[in-house]
Structure formats: C-alpha cells, structure tokens
Amino acid sequence: EPTNHLDRKAVEWLKSHLLSLTGVTMAIVSHDYAFIDEVCTDITHYDNGGHAGKPCRFVYYPMTFRQFQQLRPEIAAGLPASGKATGAADDGTGYVDPRTGRLIPWGDGAEPSDEGGSESGTGSALSTLSNVEQLVASGSILPIRFPDPGKPEGIRTYRKPVMTMKDIHFTYEGSERAIITSASVTVTLGSRVVMLGANGAGKTTLLRMLALEKGPGTPYG
C-alpha cells in the first residue's frame, strides 16, 4: 500500500514517478481511490460475492477505477469510503478525495444498484465487508479479539503523566540544523495524541525520544 504514511506532496511525487515509468508492470494495493484512478490502467477485484464459505476469486477489469465504479456500482458501494473519515455525508453518492476534499461520485452519481452483472442480486451485499458477521458465525473467517487490559497497577487517575519531556533539542550527527527545538511534551494515561507534520519534520524522532529510543544524534535539554 504505497500511499500509507505519505503526505500530500509525497503522494503527488509518487504518482508522477510511477506514471513516468515505461515497460514495467505494477500491482498496487491502496485505499486512496483517486491515486488508483490516476495511476492504474486495470482493476482486479478479489471477492467471494458475500457468500459464506465460498472461495474468493480474482475478476479482471481492463479499465480505470472510475470506469470500474461506473460498470459495477454495487461493488464500489461496498468499499470503505474515504468520505467517512473526512466528515462527508454518507449518502451513497460518492467518496471524498482525501487530498483535494472534492466529492468523487460513484459512477458519476449513479445510485448503487444490482444491475450490470450482479452475481448475487443483492446490491452492495456482494461485498464481503457487508457479511462479516455471517462469515464469522460460519467459521469462514476468524475474528481477532483483544482482551481488556484493565487499569494499570498504581494508577488512580488517567490524568497522571506517564511521559514527560521538557525543553528538548535534537540534532542528527553531521547536520548543523536542529530537527527538534525547545520541545516540551506531557502525555497522560488518558491522552489521545495526534502528531501532524510534513515528512522530515521530526515526528518519528520525537516519538523515539519519548520512548527512549533516540538513535544517532545529539540530544540535549
């Protein structure tokens, strides 16, 4: 999945690079539907039609992702929609391109239907995702369940700091530029932290310092 963990500029660079290649074959798995549509010339759909116990199979479509949406809107409707993660209304009309914020219609706005060669005649139920509970009950797929770890010993409140850094600086060996300057961080047990920044801004370095895995460099502070 080449677009995972890439910011917008990196995705644009990757797209341009892949489009510049000639005489090569690429198989790409990505949740960035706009990226797939811009880069890929053919689509392969892997599914079992939503039938419990039925083996999945590859179905080859010699077309772009946008054309695939138009041909098989009932399949496209069952795909995870990027718009759900960006606050777009889940009205079945399309998904939001995470890089531009623009609504991309499923099949040019066509409502999902079970026309166009539906194998099961159940519309979006063709997607395995819409039949997960049935597949689990039949034993066709196995669920992963994480146990509740409970409350850590000695912790009476989720407001208690578990990680703290104060006025930290960091410079990699051989570099004159400090990648982290005057950073102060307090993380409590109940914290839910999102770290945003361009590639190379120092996000991973800061996390490694918090975890006492500094790596090569000159920390001080």
Side-chain angles (χ1 to χ4, degrees), residues 82-94:
S82 300
K84 293 181 180 179
T86 56
D90 186 14
D91 57 5
T93 60

Side-chain angles (χ1 to χ4, degrees), residues 103-141:
L103 180 67
I104 307 298
W106 296 117
D108 286 340
E111 291 295 327
S113 65
D114 43 38
E115 298 178 356
S118 171
E119 296 177 5
S120 66
T122 57
S124 61
L126 286 174
S127 172
T128 301
L129 292 175
S130 58
N131 290 275
V132 169
E133 294 183 1
Q134 179 184 358
L135 294 172
V136 170
S138 67
S140 299
I141 61 176

Side-chain angles (χ1 to χ4, degrees), residues 50-71:
H51 298 287
K54 180 180 178 181
C56 293
R57 65 188 181 93
F58 284 109
V59 181
Y60 177 72
Y61 296 86
M63 60 187 66
T64 66
F65 186 68
R66 182 68 62 86
Q67 293 169 332
F68 171 73
Q69 292 173 323
Q70 296 172 347
L71 179 67

Side-chain angles (χ1 to χ4, degrees), residues 12-178:
E12 290 297 325
W13 178 91
L14 178 62
K15 180 190 72 174
S16 299
H17 174 69
L18 295 180
L19 291 176
S20 71
L21 301 177
T22 58
V24 298
T25 300
M26 295 175 287
I28 297 176
V29 177
S30 174
H31 298 114
D32 188 335
Y33 304 147
F35 176 82
I36 293 175
D37 187 61
E38 293 167 344
V39 173
C40 297
T41 59
D42 304 85
I43 301 297
T44 302
H45 181 237
Y46 186 62
D47 194 41
N48 68 351
H51 298 287
K54 180 180 178 181
C56 293
R57 65 188 181 93
F58 284 109
V59 181
Y60 177 72
Y61 296 86
M63 60 187 66
T64 66
F65 186 68
R66 182 68 62 86
Q67 293 169 332
F68 171 73
Q69 292 173 323
Q70 296 172 347
L71 179 67
R72 303 301 303 272
E74 74 282 0
I75 294 177
L79 295 174
S82 300
K84 293 181 180 179
T86 56
D90 186 14
D91 57 5
T93 60
Y95 68 93
V96 172
D97 182 344
R99 287 176 285 148
T100 65
R102 185 167 59 90
L103 180 67
I104 307 298
W106 296 117
D108 286 340
E111 291 295 327
S113 65
D114 43 38
E115 298 178 356
S118 171
E119 296 177 5
S120 66
T122 57
S124 61
L126 286 174
S127 172
T128 301
L129 292 175
S130 58
N131 290 275
V132 169
E133 294 183 1
Q134 179 184 358
L135 294 172
V136 170
S138 67
S140 299
I141 61 176
L142 299 178
I144 299 177
R145 296 186 175 91
F146 296 95
D148 184 356
K151 199 170 185 178
E153 294 183 8
I155 301 297
R156 298 181 178 180
T157 173
Y158 285 98
R159 296 180 180 180
K160 182 177 181 179
V162 293
M163 290 183 178
T164 301
M165 293 195 312
K166 185 176 181 180
D167 197 23
I168 294 296
H169 306 256
F170 190 91
T171 303
Y172 278 102
E173 292 180 356
S175 174
E176 297 180 356
R177 182 179 68 89

